[in-house]
Amino acid sequence: MPETHHGARHVAIIMDGNGRWAKKRHLPRVAGHRAGVEAVRTIVRAAGDLGVEAMTLYAFSSENWKRPEEEVSDLMGLMKRFILSDLDEFAANDVKLKIIGNWRALAPDVVELIEKALDRTAGNKRTTLAVALNYGAQDELVRAARAAAASEGGITAEAIEAHLDTADLPPLDLLIRTSGEVRLSNFLLWQAAYAELYFTDRLWPDFTPADLSAALDHFARRERRFGGL
């Protein structure tokens, strides 16, 4: 793991703005999503180089099913192609893939592809790329609370945290949202309790390693108190 000066172990990103990026260029929305996939590749490489241990990306929310059927189909197709085309690079760069959310409810061919990718990258250690698919934080909290209630100690903050989808990742340090929107959109609500929030007007396909570095520099300048003085 490269030396870091920023101190952020776990960074999450709400990748917003693909549609607006395409609209500005008079292109179909799918072109924005394709450009967004290229941005994912670039940022995941940069995250490893910058010493980030874990990166969680909001790829497809449980609310995204409300989008037009053609767009949902395009998004699923892009996700499958991304996994297939990038598995070798994950292996070469020691990237471990993790999926959070209710991904087992996706189409059987998608689930099979994900399972194979998870198995192939399970031993990688440099960076963990957690991709949120069919994910909603409220649903995650309901599932975690039910699991905690069924456990020996009952519902406690520690028990809920132990049953979150991200339980095996470092605590969330920094949450970035692109495109100028200033809300969490049902993403990592529990994990973001003491995370630093960073909002940028940059549309996701235009988000560069320099932008990620700037966000990490901003994080490094923050004084984190976790409720203390």
Side-chain angles (χ1 to χ4, degrees), residues 39-203:
V40 168
R41 291 190 174 105
T42 302
I43 294 304
V44 171
R45 293 176 194 134
D49 294 339
L50 291 166
V52 175
E53 292 180 38
M55 174 162 280
T56 301
L57 302 179
Y58 205 5
F60 190 88
S61 78
S62 50
E63 288 81 25
N64 285 158
W65 295 108
K66 300 172 186 176
R67 295 187 179 190
E69 185 176 346
E70 183 179 0
E71 183 176 358
V72 171
S73 178
D74 286 337
L75 285 166
M76 288 295 157
L78 282 170
M79 189 271 297
K80 288 192 288 185
R81 286 195 291 275
F82 169 72
I83 292 175
L84 285 169
S85 63
D86 283 47
L87 263 181
D88 287 341
E89 182 168 338
F90 289 164
N93 291 299
D94 205 19
V95 175
K96 178 180 180 179
L97 182 65
K98 177 180 175 64
I99 307 295
I100 67 172
N102 189 19
W103 59 273
R104 292 190 180 277
L106 299 174
D109 62 322
V110 176
V111 172
E112 182 180 4
L113 181 64
I114 289 172
E115 287 175 338
K116 289 179 178 177
L118 294 174
D119 287 343
R120 184 170 173 192
T121 64
N124 296 346
K125 300 185 185 315
R126 183 180 186 232
T127 308
T128 297
L129 171 62
V131 180
L133 287 176
N134 198 23
Y135 173 88
Q138 291 173 337
D139 173 71
E140 179 190 28
L141 287 170
V142 169
R143 289 187 281 109
R146 284 175 176 162
S151 66
E152 185 175 341
I155 298 179
T156 65
E158 292 76 16
I160 290 174
E161 193 159 292
H163 288 96
L164 294 174
D165 294 350
T166 56
D168 58 341
L169 297 178
L172 182 62
D173 294 305
L174 173 64
L175 192 153
I176 300 168
R177 180 165 189 155
T178 61
S179 88
E181 301 294 346
V182 185
R183 57 180 177 269
L184 296 182
S185 296
N186 199 20
F187 183 52
L188 300 181
L189 298 180
W190 180 284
Q191 297 88 335
Y194 287 105
E196 296 295 325
L197 307 181
Y198 182 88
F199 301 100
T200 173
D201 290 336
R202 189 88 69 192
L203 301 177

Side-chain angles (χ1 to χ4, degrees), residues 15 18 21 30-41 204-206:
M15 306 178 293
N18 291 346
W21 183 93
V30 68
H33 294 313
R34 289 183 185 131
V37 169
E38 291 304 315
V40 168
R41 291 190 174 105
W204 173 246
D206 293 328

Side-chain angles (χ1 to χ4, degrees), residues 204-223:
W204 173 246
D206 293 328
F207 194 81
T208 67
D211 294 315
L212 177 59
S213 184
L216 291 169
D217 287 343
H218 173 85
F219 173 83
R221 294 193 297 270
R222 299 294 299 165
E223 183 180 351

